[in-house]
Amino acid sequence: MSSFAKSKLKAARDAIGKKNYEQAREAATQVLDYEPDNYTAHVFLGLALLELGQHEKSEQLYRKAIELKDDQVLAWQGIAKLYEQTHRWNDLADTLEHIMQIFANNDDAMKCAETLQKFMDVRREHGSRREVIQALFLYLPDSSLYPVLSSLPPPDATNPTSTSIFPTQSAMHNSLVVYEELISLTEREEEMFIKSEFDKRRTRLGGPKPEQLKKDIGLEVWRSSKLPALYNDILNHPSTSDELRRATESKLIRYKQQLFFALPSTDPEKCQVGTQVDDMVHGIVTIGIPDEFAWCVWLEGRDCDTIEGLGLAYLKQFIELFPTSPLALMLKGYFAYSRAAHGDEELTEEQTLTVDGDPYDIILDAFSTLPDLLLANMITARVHLQELEYTDAIKVAESGLELVRRYESNTARELREVRKAFHVILATSFVHLFPPKHHPRALYFLNDVLKQDPTNVDGLMGKGYIFQHAEKWQEAEMLFAQAAKQLPDDMDKGLQAKEESAWCLSRVQVDAGAVALKEVFETLEDVEDRDIDKARCLWRIGRCYWDLRGESREEAFKYFITSLKHNREYAPAYTSLGVYYSEHASPPDPTRASKCFQKAFELDAREAEAARRLAEGFADEREWDLVEVVARRTIDGEGGMGAGMEGDGAASGKYLPTNAWAWKALGVVELTRRNYPESIKAFQVALRADVDDQLSWLRLGEAYSKAGRHVAALRALGRAHELQPDDWMCTYFIGEVQRQAGRLTEALASFQSILDIRPTEAGVLLSIAQTHIDLARHERFIGFVARAEQSFVSCIDVMLVAIQESSGYRGVAWKIAADALFELSAFTVFADESNVRTAVTVVRELVQDQSSARLAGLFKFTALSPNDPITGLNALEAAVAAYDYRITVGSPDEAALPSSLYDLAVALHGWILKQPPDTIQQASEAANSFLVQALQKEPGNARFWIALGDLHFVHKPKLSQHAYIKALEADNKNVVAWTKIGLLYLYHNDMELATQAFMKAQTLDPDDTLAWIGQALIATANGHEAEARTLLEHAVNMTADVPVADLQFAWRALVAVNGSNTARAPTTDRLLPAFFVLGRYFQRCPADACGLHVFGLICEHLGKLEQGVEYINRAISLLEAAYEEKEDPIVERQFIIAHTNLARLRLGLGDYEGSLASFENALGLLPEDAERETQILRVQAQYGSGMASFKMGDLQATMTAFQAALESAADDLVLRGQVTVLLAQTMWAIRTPEFRESAKGLLLDCITSDPENLMAINTLAGMGILTEDDGLVDAALSEILLLPIEQRHELDPRRDVTYLLVQHYLGLGDSVRATKIAQKALHVEPSNLQLRHEVASLLLRRGDRDAAWAILGSVAPNQNIVEEKTTLALSALAQPVQSQRSAQKAIMLDPGQLRNWQTLAYVRAQEAP
């Protein structure tokens, strides 16, 4: 190094010492300029820049210095200072590690320890848990720093501040603290990693189950974990205390076990780890170390089928080591319970551990904290089984089996004996839980047990019980005998097996079985506290003697009595005594027998024979409540719907009932109480026991029908009919269900099949009549009026037969007959008048002399002579009398009286509406009185209130409103009430309230037709005709039978077409719906003159002139009859209008004479007044007469009539202008030059007097076009063409002027001029679709398809179907592609249009190759 560099470095060091960092920077820079690789200059400059705040340059200089001499610590220390100031903690930690390594390489233990302490401080304060763990490993022997650090002197605990490295000295001379901290941090790190990974992976699609996912993640961690080595280091550390060693050993076992469980069974390491766990656990148990976890692992791994097989010494030692643990408490409770249950005085001292409280409760309390412990499940299941708590035993045993499966899956080791033990518990529980319902499941487990252990006593006896219940006595006897051989001297199970073997033998060989049972009883006599077994054995001996019949039954009686002496609560003995008293005693003693049955059933609900006999006795005495009690208790005794397994969601469908009669009885009771779902369930369960029980199928069908499930009802009843085809009640139920389901024709056939064999069955007659009336209403609704009429008459005929055959149903019969007559009264014309006359006449004859005081003086029957046609009024009078007579023949306090009064009031109100207003006062009061009486009896009936509101709708609106509101209070969702009150408000001009009411009705029922009609009437009242038409259109598309809506819709459609100003508007599409709607209307109201008149006018628009003439002729006939009856001037005016329209239609048909006659009839009836309507009619009739005369060739009469029309028009410019134009057109049609010139003159005079008469202008222009007289065309159109656009469009709304000009120039062959005129009109009115079509058509004539397509392509895509029809054909000709598709679509929309077919043919010809 040169002297210059040395001097500058000295100057830099001095400047740094004086904190003159700028001078130091300059000096160091000068050195580097002279010597670029000077290490010290780099360090000095880096320090100066650091202090000056230039951190980036400082770091670069330090890094350069480190590159120059990386084993020198000065630059490392400088950059460490930089990182510390800039809070770059990770870089600082890395730098400190390099510094420690340099000091270690230089054997500088003190500096290395100081740096390590600083490194640990940085990691603890700013590092993660994993980084702290890595730092702590530097203290351990495997660290590269350990050789240097181990040379540090021992720490002076008495003076820890004597050195700056006391923590490092302490860690190096006692590493146990470091190991403990490492273990704590590592455990926490692994736990958090597993948790975070589980949370991330658990939501992945197609991932493993949560339990397996935890194992997979754990396996990733545990296989590479350092915890086992750290645990071993603590175990081997000389400073480890016994307590820490045990705790660490326990942790190691847990760690090894979770690794053992997580390893797959195919991994070779699994067996090795399992062996390690077993060795550690076995060592702990052998030595008796108090590690509860290890003991539990050892106990879990023992494959024993009994608790005692685990070793009583070990269990006692466990209790001593862990006296307060839940398992120890459970074991103590189990030992105490076993001693109490078995009474074994030879139990060892270890078993006689005392407990405070009931051992059973202690076991259950402990089990609540040990649900996942195999041993706890085994103990609890056994105790439940001994307590005969079979359901709980099953639940715990199934849980135990799940734990066994989990253990075997985790360890790849089998627990065959433990599994067998749980199977025995399950099988025994299933055998005795409401036998024999669970025997199939029990047999599965028993077969598995006996396959593993053919001599298992519990398995043999369980299978024997199953065969016993199945009455397979020989197989059962063999199994019980085999079980008895296994325990020849056992006084518990062994003796029980002998008894069961003897009992099964007695079912095959009575004598031998009785002897064997007596031997068993002799053994039992010497045993104390076995009274129940003695009673059972004696009863069985008695049953053997009972089966021997004859005098042996007296001996059986003695044994039954002796049985009860041993145990007075043995129920089967009471049942046998009851059978004895009822069947064998002489004389029979039913009272004593009943008491015996009651006692037996009281003691044990499973005594089915006693229960059945009791139920039969109660049924004979009509004690239905007691029958239900017996049935329900019997069902409970057999386990109910779930057979004791309520937790099984599908249990109700798994088990066959033992006592089907109880389920049938319960079904009948629930059916009587209208609890149909429960009744259906009961009958379904009963049918599972006997699928061929016809009565159960019948009752099930009845329950289904009353629950509204008609399809299911028909299936059930059909099955009942198959089982017993001659059961007419089944056929009757089928007919009733078919009627309720709307299959009325089938229902009639079913009922008729019953009448063929029981012609006087009153109930069937009533059902047939009701079906007829339902069918009639349906037929009228769908438009078959004649059929409906016949069905109503058939109903009346059937009811008359029922009235004659039975007096018990007269009230109901008269009700149905009156309903049919009331429905017939709505007919205006009858298709089969004689048939209706006969029915009405018969009813009148029966009731006319039976009129009660209720109708006295109110009305009398209209005379019905053979020559007079039968009318709806005649049927209505008969209906009123029939309703009245129904009340007379019924009981005055019967429940149907309010309904009867209501029917009478409604019918009387209908009769009132057909009477003159001055004769109805008394009848109105009577109708009001009947409704009031009905409401007094049923004030909450909304129908009655609505009828009261209808009665006073017109004359007493406040009372009517009150009635409707009361109806809504009774039922605020009654759509009829909301609609009626809306109509009331509308009638009395309260539009706001009417709107609210109709809106509410529509909200409740969007298909309520009357509400839509009401809204349409409101729209009409507000002047919104378009909205009214839309609402009416919606109303007529509904299914309700409201003819007035059809008529209103058709009339408004006709008015809309007549008032349309659209040029050449397509009226067919607009009037066809009205045509079909009126067709439906006349099926219901064939005698409505107004409707016929409208129908005729619509037919005229549709070109059906003959049909129109027919309808208007019928209307004229009806109007003529009406006028003759009342001579109403309004009817007369309608008659004149009808004749005028008829004359016009005849003129169109060429019937000129008929047309002339009709016009003359109209003229002859018109009064001589100056009313506008009369003037219009006269002018029309006079001009029409002229036209008819012209067509007949009578020119003089023609001109006379035209002249009269002009005179009648007088000064009325509109009428005069129209007559003038029509006269000019007629004169033009004569075709002589004189008349044509006269026609032109008439039109010119008309235009002069009325310049805005567009009809005259257009007609004159048309004449000019026909004669090719341009001057005449210009003269005609010049004035209107000079008008402003708005005024011109107002005068010419149909754009006739443009049309005429276009046709004029087309006629001259000037298509260019015609196109320009059309384009100019379209430019003024671009939204006019008709003009757009005209321009496109003209362009296509000229061959300009592109321009035509541009015009048509700009049409809005959301055009309606009518506009679409007119556009598609032109589009097909104009568009360059898919033209055939457009032509086909045009045909689909309007297949009757010839032009569309021609278009398709043209397009196909153009596209053909």
Side-chain angles (χ1 to χ4, degrees), residues 262-296:
L263 287 167
S265 58
T266 56
D267 195 323
E269 187 182 354
K270 188 177 184 72
C271 182
Q272 179 182 353
V273 175
T275 303
Q276 293 173 2
V277 173
D278 292 342
D279 292 343
M280 288 188 289
V281 168
H282 183 71
I284 288 174
V285 173
T286 303
I287 300 173
I289 296 175
D291 184 348
E292 185 177 0
F293 176 78
W295 276 85
C296 289

Side-chain angles (χ1 to χ4, degrees), residues 910-921:
W911 178 82
I912 290 169
L913 295 177
K914 296 186 178 184
Q915 302 304 312
D918 55 347
T919 63
I920 62 173
Q921 180 64 32

Side-chain angles (χ1 to χ4, degrees), residues 707-768:
R709 298 168 62 180
H710 298 129
V711 175
L714 287 175
R715 289 178 180 173
L717 291 170
R719 177 59 179 158
H721 187 68
E722 290 175 6
L723 294 171
Q724 193 171 339
D726 58 345
D727 183 5
W728 71 270
M729 279 299 298
C730 181
T731 306
Y732 175 78
F733 279 129
I734 290 174
E736 276 295 312
V737 175
Q738 289 170 336
R739 183 181 67 81
Q740 295 169 12
R743 297 160 64 171
L744 302 173
T745 306
E746 298 176 27
L748 284 174
S750 299
F751 291 136
Q752 190 60 49
S753 67
I754 301 174
L755 283 185
D756 293 341
I757 57 175
R758 302 175 70 91
T760 61
E761 189 64 45
V764 178
L765 290 170
L766 293 175
S767 295
I768 287 181

Side-chain angles (χ1 to χ4, degrees), residues 490-736:
D490 185 77
M491 300 304 293
D492 189 8
K493 289 184 179 180
L495 188 58
Q496 184 179 353
K498 290 179 182 178
E499 181 186 347
E500 297 298 337
S501 175
W503 171 245
C504 293
L505 180 62
S506 72
R507 300 299 89 198
V508 181
Q509 303 176 21
V510 179
D511 294 331
V515 172
L517 284 169
K518 288 179 180 179
E519 291 177 359
V520 173
F521 182 72
E522 289 175 1
T523 306
L524 281 171
E525 276 188 312
D526 300 329
V527 183
E528 297 181 357
D529 299 329
R530 300 288 289 273
D531 290 338
I532 183 66
D533 297 332
K534 295 174 184 177
R536 183 181 62 249
C537 189
L538 287 168
W539 173 77
R540 287 177 169 177
I541 295 171
R543 280 296 308 273
C544 292
Y545 281 105
W546 182 270
D547 293 340
L548 291 174
R549 300 179 178 277
E551 296 299 325
S552 297
R553 292 199 168 181
E554 293 297 332
E555 190 68 22
F557 173 75
K558 295 177 182 179
Y559 275 103
F560 295 151
I561 296 295
T562 307
S563 172
L564 290 175
K565 289 180 180 179
H566 282 84
N567 188 337
R568 299 186 63 83
E569 296 184 354
Y570 187 64
Y574 284 106
T575 302
S576 297
L577 282 175
V579 175
Y580 172 82
Y581 286 128
S582 62
E583 295 180 0
H584 187 71
S586 181
D589 191 346
T591 303
R592 187 173 291 180
S594 178
K595 290 181 179 179
C596 288
F597 291 140
Q598 289 182 28
K599 183 65 175 178
F601 190 60
E602 178 185 337
L603 290 172
D604 189 354
R606 295 172 295 178
E607 283 299 305
E609 179 67 18
R612 185 182 61 81
R613 290 174 179 263
L614 274 177
E616 290 175 353
F618 290 143
D620 293 339
E621 298 171 4
R622 302 290 178 179
E623 296 287 350
W624 299 113
D625 290 341
L626 294 178
V627 172
E628 181 195 3
V629 170
V630 172
R632 287 194 180 278
R633 192 159 186 268
T634 302
I635 290 170
D636 292 339
E638 69 172 35
M641 294 287 286
M645 303 297 291
E646 287 76 10
D648 191 347
S652 62
K654 285 185 176 180
Y655 311 109
L656 293 177
T658 308
N659 302 290
W661 64 266
W663 290 98
K664 288 192 285 186
L666 184 60
V668 172
V669 171
E670 296 294 358
L671 184 62
T672 305
R673 294 177 175 176
R674 300 183 180 180
N675 189 2
Y676 303 123
E678 293 301 320
S679 176
I680 291 169
K681 287 182 182 178
F683 286 125
Q684 287 174 337
V685 174
L687 283 169
R688 283 202 293 272
D690 183 5
V691 294
D692 293 330
D693 184 359
Q694 190 266 351
L695 185 59
S696 293
W697 281 110
L698 182 65
R699 295 302 183 194
L700 178 62
E702 183 182 358
Y704 273 133
S705 67
K706 292 182 177 179
R709 298 168 62 180
H710 298 129
V711 175
L714 287 175
R715 289 178 180 173
L717 291 170
R719 177 59 179 158
H721 187 68
E722 290 175 6
L723 294 171
Q724 193 171 339
D726 58 345
D727 183 5
W728 71 270
M729 279 299 298
C730 181
T731 306
Y732 175 78
F733 279 129
I734 290 174
E736 276 295 312

Side-chain angles (χ1 to χ4, degrees), residues 1086-1239:
D1088 181 28
C1090 178
L1092 287 166
H1093 200 164
V1094 173
F1095 207 175
L1097 295 176
I1098 289 177
C1099 288
E1100 180 187 11
H1101 278 281
L1102 295 175
K1104 300 177 179 293
L1105 300 181
E1106 296 89 345
Q1107 200 169 346
V1109 168
E1110 177 188 352
Y1111 288 135
I1112 295 180
N1113 264 326
R1114 288 168 56 186
I1116 289 173
S1117 300
L1118 292 171
L1119 289 170
E1120 185 176 6
Y1123 182 76
E1124 290 176 356
E1125 181 180 352
K1126 297 183 180 180
E1127 295 188 359
D1128 189 344
I1130 296 176
V1131 175
E1132 182 184 18
R1133 178 55 56 90
Q1134 292 174 348
F1135 183 79
I1136 296 170
I1137 295 172
H1139 263 296
T1140 305
N1141 290 330
L1142 177 64
R1144 185 176 65 253
L1145 265 66
R1146 284 175 170 171
L1147 187 62
L1149 285 171
D1151 183 7
Y1152 306 125
E1153 293 182 359
S1155 174
L1156 184 60
S1158 294
F1159 279 131
E1160 290 176 350
N1161 286 338
L1163 286 170
L1165 293 173
L1166 282 171
E1168 296 295 331
D1169 56 36
E1171 288 186 5
R1172 170 75 172 166
E1173 184 178 345
T1174 303
Q1175 184 184 16
I1176 294 173
L1177 287 171
R1178 179 174 284 107
V1179 169
Q1180 183 180 357
Q1182 289 170 340
Y1183 171 76
S1185 299
M1187 285 295 298
S1189 298
F1190 173 74
K1191 289 294 184 179
M1192 294 169 64
D1194 190 348
L1195 293 180
Q1196 182 177 357
T1198 301
M1199 300 311 297
T1200 302
F1202 284 151
Q1203 188 62 40
L1206 286 172
E1207 292 175 359
S1208 298
D1211 297 331
D1212 191 320
L1213 291 179
V1214 175
L1215 283 176
R1216 192 173 185 85
Q1218 290 180 347
V1219 173
T1220 301
V1221 171
L1222 293 171
L1223 176 58
Q1225 290 174 337
T1226 304
M1227 294 171 71
W1228 184 268
I1230 296 175
R1231 298 186 177 183
T1232 62
E1234 296 81 3
F1235 274 103
R1236 290 193 171 185
E1237 289 300 324
S1238 299

